[in-house]
Amino acid sequence: MTAELVRGQNHPLPETLLEVRVSAGHPVVACAAGADEGGAVREAWIAHPGAPAVPGVEVPAEAAQAPRFAVDLGAVAAAVHRIHLLIALPEGTGGPARFGATAAPFLAVISSAGAEIASFTVTGLDSETAVVALELYRRQGAWKVRAVGQGYAGGLARLLADHGLDRAHEVADRIRAATARTAPRTEPARLRTPAATDGARPPAGPRSGPQPGGARPGPETPVPTGGDDRPPPAAAAPGGGPEGAAGPPTVPGGRIDYAHPRRSAPPPAAPAAAPGEPARPVAGDATGWSMEERLYNQIWGMFEDLARSVAAYRNAVEFAESRLDQELDRALADPRSRIGDAGDAARAAARAKCEQLTALARQSLDRDLAQLTAESDVVEPALPPAYARWDNPAWHAYRVPMESPMAVRLGDLQLPESPELRIPFLIRLPLERGLWVDSGRSGSAAALMVDEARMRRLAMDCAVSHAARLLAVHPVGDYTVQVIDPAGTGTDSLAPLVRSGALAAPPATGAQGVTTTLARLTQRVDLVTMAMRGGAPDALPPDLDTSEQLLIVNDFPHGFDDRAVTQLRYLADEGPQVGVHLLMVADREDASAYGPVLDPLWRSLLRITPVPDDHLADPWVRHSWTYQPPTVPAGSEVLRQVLDQVTAARRSWGH
C-alpha cells in the first residue's frame, strides 16, 4: 500500500533500486545533492543537468515537466549519508517565476517492479523557486525516505549554500547555464528500467489554502516574521544525531505558507483578513523541520502567549486597585473631603477610574484570548496522535508509527481567566523523569468531592490511558509496559491492557511478584548502565530486552518491603537514563509511615492528578496552572481499538 507522506514524515525503503517520478505540470530542473553524516553537501556528490550522473543517482540533463530520478542506493558512496532530491524552476524559459503560481509538485517513489512505495505532494509553496522535495537517508544500516518540502526564495544558490556548499553560487550558475543550453526533450537513462506502469499522479491543483498568521497576540514584543531566507537552527530530532536540521525559511515580505497538507482549503473566493484585523491562524505556523516539530513549537508559543496575556491582565488589575487605594487614602487624609459631597465625589471618581482601567485590561485580554482560541480551534484537529486528545479523529485513522515522536500529551493546562481555553500539556520524549498519578483526596477541592474508592479508580484509569498512549506512539518493539498490582485492586482499570495482550507479562501480584519484577528491572538498569559507561553496548546479554520499559506501580506502598522500596527509589533515580520509567499510582499519605525517607522519591516524579488540580506552578509569571487529565470519552472504543492495532502489529513483526 502506498504511503502518502506529509511534511516531516518518513517511510522505510524496502529495496535499493528506485525511481522517483515528478509531476509538476511545467518544466522543472531536477538535481540530487549528497550529504555526509554532518549534513554538508559536496560538489562532487551533486547530480544536475551539467553533470547528470553521480554514483548511485542520475537526473535529467534538461528541464522537464515530468523528470525522473534514477536511484541505486547500493551504489551510493559510503561517505554519503543523505541524498537531497531537489527541484527548481528554470530561468529564462518564459515559465512560472515562483512555485506559488503553479500546481503543487507531486513526487512518487517507485520500486523496480513499478509499485508505488511512497508519495508526497509539496503544498504550501509561495515565492520559492527551489525546493528540497524529498530526502533519502541512512538510519541504522537501512535507507528511508522523508518528505521535506522546504522551499527557498533565493533559488538553488541559497539552497546549496544553506546545505554547506562553499561555491554554491558557481554551481548554481553552471546548472542555470546547462539548463539554458538544452530543451525539455528527453528522459534520463535509467540505472535499470522498472516496469512500464507509471505510478505518478496528476499534479495537485493550484494552492488556495489559508495564508499564515502574523504575530501572536500578547503584551510583549511580537514574534518577527520577516528576514532573509536562511532558516534558523532547529532543535535536533528525537534521538539526536544527524536527524536534526535547520527549520523552514522565511522570505522577505512574509512567511512561507505552512498550511497543513491534510487540511481542506477554504474556497478561493474567501476574503482575506481586513487591514488591522488579525490574520487567520494556521496549524504548523512556527519554525521547525517537520510538521510535528512546528506543531510542538506552535503549542509552546500558545502556552507562552496565554501566560503573558494573563500576566499583563493581572498586573493591570493590580495597578488599578493599587491606584484606587492611593486615591482613597488621599481623599481620607484631607479632613475637608472625608465627609460631604466632595468626599463622595472623590471616592466615586477613584472607583470609576479603577473600573475603567480594569475594563480596558479585560478588553485587551479578551482580544488575545479570542485570537488564541481561534488558533487552538485550528491546531487541535491537525495534531498527530501523540499530541491529540482521545476524542480527536486522528485516533480513528491511527497506524502504528515507524519512529518515536518528539513529545507526548499528558493532558491540558488552563488558567482561571480563560477556563474554556485549554493548552495541550506536552512533555518531550524520552521521559526524563517518572510520573506519579496522585490518588489522594487532599490535593484540591475537586479531589475532596470524590470518595476514596472512586478516586483510586480514576487514578488507575488515568495511568492506563497514559500507558496506552505511550505504547501507541512508539514503533513496534520500542516500548514495553509492565505492571505491579500487589493486591489486584487495579484489575478493572487494567482490563484494556490485559485483554489486548499489550502487556509484556500478566500484572505482578503479591509480595513475590513485586520482588521478582523489581529485581529484574534493577538488574537491567545495572547491566545497561555498566555497558554504556564502559563503552561496550555489544557486551549486553543477547536475551536482554533493550526496549524502553514503563513500570506501572499501583497501590504503593502496600506489598512493598524495605528492600522493594529501596529498589523503587533506585529505578526512579537511575532508570530514565537507560530507558526504565516509573508510572506510580499512589497516595502520599499512605506512605507517611516512611517519613522523609521517601521525599526524594516523590520529588523525582512528575505529579499529575486524575481530577483537575492547580498544582503546576509557573515561577516566571507567578501562575498556578490547572492541570486537566486526559479522559477517554464515555462509551468510546478508541482505547481498545488502538491497543488491538498495537498487538496486531507486534504479532506481524514477530514480537
Side-chain angles (χ1 to χ4, degrees):
M1 185 175 65
T2 302
E4 296 182 0
L5 305 180
V6 298
R7 273 189 179 89
Q9 187 178 358
N10 58 62
H11 188 74
L13 295 173
E15 58 182 275
T16 58
L17 199 64
L18 306 165
E19 189 175 60
V20 180
R21 303 174 182 176
V22 182
S23 296
H26 53 84
V28 293
V29 179
C31 304
D36 59 21
E37 189 172 4
V41 171
R42 300 182 189 176
E43 186 174 348
W45 295 342
I46 300 177
H48 56 81
V54 296
V57 185
E58 190 171 355
V59 301
E62 63 207 11
Q65 291 195 21
R68 303 187 181 191
F69 298 85
V71 181
D72 184 357
L73 297 174
V76 175
V80 176
H81 286 258
R82 308 184 197 180
I83 302 173
H84 302 290
L85 302 185
L86 322 174
I87 56 175
L89 295 174
E91 298 181 12
T93 61
R98 58 188 181 91
F99 276 108
T102 69
F106 173 84
L107 292 91
V109 182
I110 310 298
S111 70
S112 59
E116 186 175 306
I117 300 171
S119 64
F120 176 46
T121 302
V122 190
T123 59
L125 299 177
D126 189 1
S127 59
E128 301 86 346
T129 58
V131 178
V132 181
L134 293 175
E135 178 185 75
L136 311 178
Y137 65 100
R138 302 181 195 260
R139 170 55 73 90
Q140 298 178 348
W143 284 90
K144 293 186 176 184
V145 59
R146 187 198 336 262
V148 181
Q150 181 174 352
Y152 289 79
L156 279 173
R158 173 63 74 178
L159 187 156
L160 295 173
D162 207 55
H163 286 79
L165 188 63
D166 294 333
R167 300 189 299 169
H169 286 276
E170 296 180 18
V171 175
D173 290 340
R174 287 202 296 273
I175 296 174
R176 188 181 302 111
T179 305
R181 289 195 303 266
T182 60
R185 291 187 302 269
T186 60
E187 294 287 330
R190 294 168 180 76
L191 298 174
R192 184 181 300 172
T193 305
T197 304
D198 191 348
R201 304 174 188 171
R207 181 177 61 85
S208 58
Q211 298 300 309
R216 291 192 179 93
E220 299 190 359
T221 305
V223 179
T225 59
D228 64 14
D229 56 358
R230 175 179 292 276
E243 292 285 308
T250 57
V251 297
R255 187 179 292 161
I256 293 174
D257 184 2
Y258 282 128
H260 194 278
R262 298 292 189 188
R263 183 179 300 284
S264 58
E277 293 184 2
R280 296 185 181 91
V282 176
D285 184 21
T287 59
W289 177 260
S290 65
M291 175 59 77
E292 178 191 25
E293 193 172 64
R294 293 203 300 273
L295 287 169
Y296 175 87
N297 291 336
Q298 185 171 9
I299 290 171
W300 179 250
M302 292 167 61
F303 170 83
E304 289 182 326
D305 288 345
L306 179 58
R308 288 196 298 263
S309 296
V310 172
Y313 169 72
R314 292 180 180 179
N315 289 338
V317 172
E318 184 178 350
F319 168 77
E321 293 175 346
S322 174
R323 179 170 176 166
L324 172 63
D325 291 340
Q326 293 174 6
E327 292 183 353
L328 292 178
D329 288 343
R330 284 196 297 269
L332 293 174
D334 187 353
R336 294 170 299 178
S337 60
R338 288 178 186 172
I339 58 176
D341 295 341
D344 293 341
R347 287 188 289 271
R351 293 190 180 94
K353 185 63 175 178
C354 177
E355 293 173 357
Q356 180 185 9
L357 292 175
T358 302
L360 289 174
R362 185 69 208 193
Q363 182 180 359
S364 178
L365 175 65
D366 289 342
R367 183 176 62 250
D368 292 350
L369 293 179
Q371 180 72 4
L372 284 171
T373 300
E375 188 171 10
S376 177
D377 291 342
V378 171
V379 169
E380 277 287 355
L383 295 179
Y387 299 176
R389 291 195 294 252
W390 285 112
D391 59 355
N392 192 306
W395 285 108
H396 296 285
Y398 167 77
R399 295 294 181 271
V400 178
M402 299 300 295
E403 286 197 356
S404 302
M406 65 182 296
V408 70
R409 186 172 189 160
L410 285 187
D412 295 326
L413 298 175
Q414 66 182 75
L415 291 172
E417 285 82 358
S418 57
E420 69 286 348
L421 177 59
R422 298 186 179 185
I423 306 296
F425 181 25
L426 305 181
I427 58 170
R428 293 296 294 264
L429 293 178
L431 297 173
E432 295 182 357
R433 57 195 298 201
L435 304 176
W436 164 32
V437 183
D438 189 355
S439 60
R441 299 178 56 244
S442 59
S444 67
L448 290 173
M449 300 297 293
V450 183
D451 64 71
E452 182 177 350
R454 176 62 177 165
M455 190 68 175
R456 293 182 185 274
R457 173 62 189 269
L458 290 175
M460 197 58 186
D461 288 345
C462 182
V464 169
S465 73
H466 287 307
R469 181 184 294 266
L470 287 167
L471 266 176
V473 302
H474 283 86
V476 173
D478 280 13
Y479 221 82
T480 301
V481 176
Q482 302 185 52
V483 177
I484 290 179
D485 188 16
T489 56
T491 301
D492 292 340
S493 297
L494 291 168
L497 292 173
V498 175
R499 292 171 185 168
S500 64
L503 296 178
T509 58
Q512 184 61 39
V514 172
T515 301
T516 302
T517 303
L518 291 179
R520 183 172 61 252
L521 288 177
T522 301
Q523 182 186 39
R524 181 194 183 280
V525 171
D526 289 339
L527 290 174
V528 176
T529 300
M530 288 188 293
M532 299 306 293
R533 289 177 179 174
D538 296 338
L540 289 170
D543 59 343
L544 182 71
D545 183 4
T546 56
S547 65
E548 289 193 70
Q549 306 284 319
L550 179 70
L551 176 62
I552 302 176
V553 179
N554 184 37
D555 216 12
F556 176 82
H558 302 299
F560 285 75
D561 55 20
D562 291 345
R563 177 178 174 81
V565 171
T566 301
Q567 289 176 322
L568 199 65
R569 286 185 54 187
Y570 176 71
L571 293 178
D573 292 337
E574 304 296 333
Q577 303 176 38
V578 291
V580 176
H581 312 285
L582 292 182
L583 177 51
M584 289 186 56
V585 180
D587 180 359
R588 189 168 182 173
E589 292 184 1
D590 291 343
S592 58
Y594 287 92
V597 173
L598 289 182
D599 286 350
L601 173 64
W602 305 119
R603 287 196 298 266
S604 68
L605 303 173
L606 174 62
R607 176 177 174 258
I608 54 180
T609 55
V611 294
D613 193 328
D614 60 351
H615 66 281
L616 295 176
D618 186 344
W620 294 105
V621 288
R622 296 175 298 169
H623 295 333
S624 291
W625 290 84
T626 298
Y627 168 77
Q628 291 279 351
T631 56
V632 179
S636 173
E637 293 292 317
V638 62
L639 203 64
R640 179 187 61 80
Q641 294 169 1
V642 168
L643 291 174
D644 286 346
Q645 287 199 47
V646 171
T647 54
R650 282 182 175 178
R651 287 192 294 268
S652 65
W653 284 75
H655 288 277

